[in-house]
C-alpha cells in the first residue's frame, strides 16, 4: 500500500494492507509516523476517495479498492502561510545538478566518448529529479483535492446549521427592536389602565393583611377613585431597564453581523481555494 505525506507529496511504499492494520487499529498512527515522520497526535488521515480514516472506522474501510492513505499534518494549520512555505517551499535550483559546462581546454584533455558519457549521466540525473518532483506535485494536488472536498463538506454542514439559526436570531432581534421602539407608547398606555379594586382585595384577604398601597381613594364627595397600573410602575426605573436592554440588543446585533461576516468569508474562501486547485490542475 502507499502512504502519501500530503505536505510535500512524498510517497512511501509499505508491505501491508488496511485489512492487516485493521486487526490492530491502535498501530495505525505508529506505523504512519514511522513512514512519514509526522507526529501521531497531529495526523489527519484520508483515503483517496475522501473518507477520513480513524482507528474507530478502519475496519469498515479496510476493503477499500485504493489502499492509498494521505497523511496531513495538523500543526501546519496553526501557522501562517509564509512560515509553512519557509519549511516546505522548494527554492529555485534545489536538487538540480550544476550545468557543468566544459571549457575547451577540458574537452581537449578528455576523450570524446568520456565527455558524452558524463553529459548523458547528468541528463539522466536531471530527468530523475524532475520526474520525482513532478510525481510529488501530482500527489500534493491529489491531497489538495481531498482537503478541499473535506473543507466544502464541513462548511456546507456549518452553513445549513447557520441558515436555520439565522432565521431564529433575526426574528428575535426584530421582536426586540419592536418592543424597544414601543416602550414609550407602552408606558403611556399602562398609565391609562385602571386596576380593579377586587384584584388587590383578594390578594389582601389571602394574606390576611391590608394592602400596603391603597387601591382606591375617597374624594371629598365620597366618590371612590381607582388607581391606574401606571402608578405601580416606576417610569424612571423602567427607563433604566430599557437603556440596559438597548445596549444588550446593540451588542447582540453586532455579534450577529460578525457571525454572518465570518460565515460569508468561509464560503468565499472555500470557493477561492476550490477554483485555485481546479484551475491549476
Amino acid at each position: 500500500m502507499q502512504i502519501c505525506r500530503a505536505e510535500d507529496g512524498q510517497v512511501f511504499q509499505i508491505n501491508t494492507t488496511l485489512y492487516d492494520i485493521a486487526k490492530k487499529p491502535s498501530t495505525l498512527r505508529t506505523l504512519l509516523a514511522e513512514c512519514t515522520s509526522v507526529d501521531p497526535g497531529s495526523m489527519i488521515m484520508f483515503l483517496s476517495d475522501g473518507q477520513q480514516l480513524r482507528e474507530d472506522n478502519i475496519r469498515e474501510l479496510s476493503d477499500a479498492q485504493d489502499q492509498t492513505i494521505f497523511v496531513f499534518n495538523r500543526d501546519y494549520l496553526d501557522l501562517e502561510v509564509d512560515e509553512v512555505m519557509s519549511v516546505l517551499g522548494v527554492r529555485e535550483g534545489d536538487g538540480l545538478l550544476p550545468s557543468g559546462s566544459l571549457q575547451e581546454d577540458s574537452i581537449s584533455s578528455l576523450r570524446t566518448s568520456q565527455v558524452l558519457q558524463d553529459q548523458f549521466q547528468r541528463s539522466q540525473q536531471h530527468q530523475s529529479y524532475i520526474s520525482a518532483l513532478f510525481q510529488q506535485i501530482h500527489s500534493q494536488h491529489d491531497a489538495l483535492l481531498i482537503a478541499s472536498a473535506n473543507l466544502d463538506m464541513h462548511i456546507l454542514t456549518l452553513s445549513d446549521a447557520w441558515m436555520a439559526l439565522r432565521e431564529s436570531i433575526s426574528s428575535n432581534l426584530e421582536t426586540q427592536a419592536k418592543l424597544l421602539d414601543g416602550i414609550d407608547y407602552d408606558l403611556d398606555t399602562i398609565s391609562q389602565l385602571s386596576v380593579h379594586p377586587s384584584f388587590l382585595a383578594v390578594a389582601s384577604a389571602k394574606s390576611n393583611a391590608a394592602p400596603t398601597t391603597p387601591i382606591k381613594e375617597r374624594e371629598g364627595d365620597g366618590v371612590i377613585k381607582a388607581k391606574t397600573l401606571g402608578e405601580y410602575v416606576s417610569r424612571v426605573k423602567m427607563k433604566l431597564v430599557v437603556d440596559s436592554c438597548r445596549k444588550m440588543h446593540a451588542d447582540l446585533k453586532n455579534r450577529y453581523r460578525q457571525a454572518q461576516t465570518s460565515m460569508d468569508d468561509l464560503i468565499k474562501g472555500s470557493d477561492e481555494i476550490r477554483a485555485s486547485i481546479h484551475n491549476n490542475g
Side-chain angles (χ1 to χ4, degrees), residues 3-7 28-29 32 36 38-47 50-55 69-78 143 146-147 150-151 154:
I3 309 298
C4 176
R5 187 168 58 199
E7 61 199 56
L28 174 61
R29 292 178 183 270
L32 297 181
T36 63
V38 176
D39 182 80
S42 301
M43 289 181 179
I44 306 177
M45 302 160 289
F46 290 91
L47 297 181
Q51 296 188 83
Q52 186 170 356
L53 184 66
R54 302 182 303 274
E55 289 86 349
I69 300 178
F70 288 82
V71 180
F72 293 80
N73 191 338
R74 191 192 305 271
D75 291 342
Y76 289 121
L77 298 177
D78 299 324
I146 293 173
N150 186 260
L151 177 64
H154 284 291

Side-chain angles (χ1 to χ4, degrees), residues 9 28 48 82 90 93 109 120 128 151-152 165 170 177 189 191 198-199 205 211 218 223 240 248 251 276:
L28 174 61
S48 57
D82 291 341
V90 177
S109 65
F120 178 70
S128 297
L151 177 64
D152 287 342
L165 182 62
S170 179
T189 300
S191 66
S198 61
F199 286 117
R218 286 187 178 274
V223 178
L240 293 175
M248 184 175 294
D251 181 58
S276 175

Side-chain angles (χ1 to χ4, degrees), residues 1-3 12-35 43 45 47 53-63 67-69 71:
M1 73 185 289
Q2 290 185 331
I3 309 298
F12 307 90
Q13 298 284 346
I14 59 174
N15 187 27
T16 189
T17 64
L18 284 173
Y19 180 79
D20 295 330
I21 301 175
K23 296 177 181 178
K24 293 183 177 180
S26 60
T27 64
L28 174 61
R29 292 178 183 270
T30 302
L31 176 64
L32 297 181
E34 292 175 355
C35 295
M43 289 181 179
M45 302 160 289
L47 297 181
L53 184 66
R54 302 182 303 274
E55 289 86 349
D56 61 359
N57 69 353
I58 189 172
R59 293 183 185 275
E60 304 170 15
L61 304 177
S62 61
D63 59 349
Q67 296 277 301
T68 301
I69 300 178
V71 180

